[in-house]
Each structure stands twice: as structure tokens, then as C-alpha cells.
Amino acid sequence: MSQRPARVGTPQASDHLTDRVFTLPNLISFVRLLGVPVFLYLLLVARVDVAAIAVLAVGGTTDWVDGWVARRLHQVSRLGELLDPFVDRLYILATLVAFTVREVVPWQFTVALLAREVLLLGSLGMLRRHGYGPPPVHYVGKTATFLLLAAFPVLLLAKAVPATVFSAAGWSLAWWGLALYWVAGVMYVVQAGRLVRAARAR
């Protein structure tokens, strides 16, 4: 990874970052965030699977929109850099919990993804103790997130409309997403270890 996390309390290396909150990309991220409780209600309470699939599909496939709009409009913000990956991670975790409850995915798959989150939280805590902020999102992590968010509505569709093609497509996306999710996690941990060793050497 070529970029390094900025020191906490110091200016970011990217001068184009803005402190603005009310930007179009942030609005898109907030709308995506509101989709999480709507999805959970539709899937777990109302049991309207078709509507839940639609909400999940929109939330997952628009993962790239806020970042693309931010770059196109030159509205990359500090809030957006934190909000975008937070919303993605919340979508994944909320969907995993709901899917495990509804038996759409086995608990082993959920544990595998949650274990990666625990690993990442540990590395983030280590960086924080040495004065670093969170590392920039890597394209491997973004690809993994896209694959997982694309897999989830297909897996739910496979449960609602049993068909081999939906199940095969959904699990292909899910397993590739899980593998890349762990690859990205290991990359973050390796980067964190290098930064901590450099800080201790100083």
C-alpha cells in the first residue's frame, strides 16, 4: 500500500480534503445509511423479502457512487472518508446478522467475516496508540466490499426463489468477497505493523 495513515492531530497529506459536512457525496452516504434499518425491518420484522432485496441491492450497488461523485465534484471531505467505509461495513455486518437469523448464510461464514473485523479493530487500536489515524481504503478492500454487497441480494433472492443459478452466482460472489476481504485485512495489519515498528524505532 503506497499511502500511509495520517498522524492524529496533523494535517492530511491531501490538501484537497475539505471539512464540509453538507456535500452531495455525504448526502448519498447518509441516504445509504438510512437504508440499513429499513432493510432490517423489511427482512426481520415485516418479512417482505422482495422489498428487502430491493433495498439491499440499491444500497450495495451504489457503494461506489458517493466516492465517484466526490471526486468528480471535488467534494472529497474528511467526514466522507470516514463515513463511506463505515456505511459499507455497517451494511455488511447488519446483513450478516440478519442473514444468519434467517438462515440465508451459515454461521461459519458470519464468524469468518466477523473475525476479520476483530483483527482490523485490533490493528486500528494499535495505530491509534502510536498517533496514527485509520489507513486509507485500499482497492482490494473496496473490491471485496463490492463483491459482498453484490452477493447478499443474490443469496436472498436464491432463498426466496429457489434456483441453482442464483445460489451458484451468490455464493461465488460471497466466497470471492470473503477471500479478498481477508487479503485486504492482512494488508492493513502488515501496514500497521510497519508503522508501529517505525514509531518505536524513533
Side-chain angles (χ1 to χ4, degrees):
M1 296 170 67
S2 59
Q3 290 179 287
R4 306 176 79 184
R7 283 278 188 174
V8 175
T10 62
Q12 294 279 355
S14 303
D15 295 331
H16 66 278
L17 284 177
T18 176
D19 290 321
R20 291 173 58 193
V21 174
F22 298 103
T23 64
L24 181 57
N26 288 348
L27 177 62
I28 295 172
S29 294
F30 279 121
V31 171
R32 292 183 64 232
L33 182 61
L34 292 175
V36 175
V38 173
F39 162 73
L40 291 175
Y41 171 79
L42 291 172
L43 186 68
L44 298 179
V45 180
R47 297 287 181 124
V48 185
D49 289 358
V50 175
I53 291 171
V55 172
L56 186 58
V58 171
T61 55
T62 55
D63 166 45
W64 60 274
V65 173
D66 42 9
W68 181 83
V69 171
R71 290 186 295 271
R72 292 282 293 184
L73 300 181
H74 304 289
Q75 293 183 347
V76 179
S77 66
R78 301 179 194 280
L79 174 62
E81 285 201 333
L82 296 174
L83 186 61
D84 182 28
F86 171 75
V87 173
D88 292 341
R89 188 162 288 112
L90 186 61
Y91 255 105
I92 290 173
L93 295 179
T95 304
L96 277 174
V97 172
F99 275 19
T100 305
V101 172
R102 286 288 305 273
E103 298 182 344
V104 177
V105 299
W107 64 266
Q108 293 91 338
F109 187 85
T110 301
V111 170
L113 274 175
L114 292 180
R116 186 269 193 185
E117 292 301 312
V118 172
L119 178 69
L120 191 58
L121 284 175
S123 65
L124 290 176
M126 185 169 56
L127 285 173
R128 176 70 62 176
R129 285 195 299 272
H130 288 82
Y132 288 100
V137 177
H138 195 272
Y139 74 91
V140 175
K142 292 295 291 184
T143 302
T145 299
F146 176 80
L147 289 173
L148 289 171
L149 292 178
F152 290 151
V154 179
L155 290 174
L156 185 56
L157 182 62
K159 184 175 179 64
V161 184
T164 303
V165 63
F166 292 140
S167 180
W171 280 113
S172 295
L173 291 169
W175 286 117
W176 271 109
L178 175 63
L180 289 180
Y181 211 54
W182 266 98
V183 169
V186 171
M187 292 172 68
Y188 291 138
V189 170
V190 170
Q191 183 188 25
R194 289 173 179 170
L195 291 171
V196 169
R197 285 194 297 271
R200 288 174 176 172
R202 287 194 297 268

